[in-house]
Amino acid sequence: MAWEEWEQLKGEAAASSSTSGGMRLNQHAYQGGGDGADLKVQHQQLRALGALADDLRQRLQVDGDHARPATFSAGTSLSNDGLDSGHQVLRLAEVWSTKLHVLLDACSHIRNHLSFTSAQHAGDDEAAGAGVGASGADLLSVSKISDYMK
């Protein structure tokens, strides 16, 4: 690419960004600042997601385990009749049970993490509000803020 071509492309990009009011990144316009923040979650949203994870866990616990008694009974019966497939059915039931417990644990982990996150941020918000709103409160110095940023 020649220097002149590069300068022309830079000029076109500058003109485009000044007319659109923002920059374009991977074909999507970005308007900085304001209410357009995409990383903003309310506490009630975290609680709702945690409730969904808990509901999924409860449904998985019931629905994912409903065939276990019949499967073990069939596997035992086949094994007692001398069929090798009985051992495979029992092994399948064991693997299914293991995978089910992994999913149940994951749902619990998600719910617990969302609950913790909501509580932690609520505490942080409260502490920040108390520090700023209190009369005569010691505000953090610039050097202390810089230490947090490292």
Side-chain angles (χ1 to χ4, degrees):
M1 171 182 303
W3 183 258
E4 294 80 25
E5 186 180 2
W6 172 250
E7 289 297 324
Q8 178 187 355
L9 291 172
K10 282 186 359 183
E12 290 172 5
S16 174
S17 68
S18 67
T19 59
S20 67
M23 72 174 171
R24 295 190 61 82
L25 187 62
N26 291 336
Q27 305 302 319
H28 297 286
Y30 170 73
Q31 303 292 329
D35 280 346
D38 61 344
L39 187 58
K40 184 175 182 181
V41 178
Q42 303 295 327
H43 297 290
Q44 55 268 37
Q45 290 172 320
L46 292 175
R47 284 192 294 273
L49 289 171
L52 286 173
D54 192 45
D55 182 51
L56 177 60
R57 184 189 153 300
Q58 290 174 5
R59 288 191 346 240
L60 270 173
Q61 192 168 20
V62 173
D63 296 340
D65 202 37
H66 78 278
R68 184 182 46 81
T71 304
F72 276 108
S73 176
T76 303
S77 180
L78 289 169
S79 293
N80 290 341
D81 289 342
L83 298 172
D84 289 337
S85 61
H87 295 291
Q88 297 305 318
V89 170
L90 290 173
R91 176 74 180 129
L92 175 69
E94 180 183 328
V95 169
W96 175 261
S97 180
T98 300
K99 301 294 183 187
L100 177 62
H101 283 89
V102 168
L103 286 173
L104 292 171
D105 289 346
C107 289
S108 293
H109 179 75
I110 290 168
R111 182 204 57 216
N112 292 342
H113 180 72
L114 290 171
S115 295
F116 171 80
T117 300
S118 181
Q120 181 70 33
H121 288 301
D124 291 347
D125 289 347
E126 185 177 317
V132 171
S135 61
D138 292 334
L139 297 179
L140 292 176
S141 66
V142 173
S143 61
K144 186 68 173 173
I145 294 171
S146 294
D147 289 343
Y148 285 127
M149 300 299 288
K150 292 181 183 176

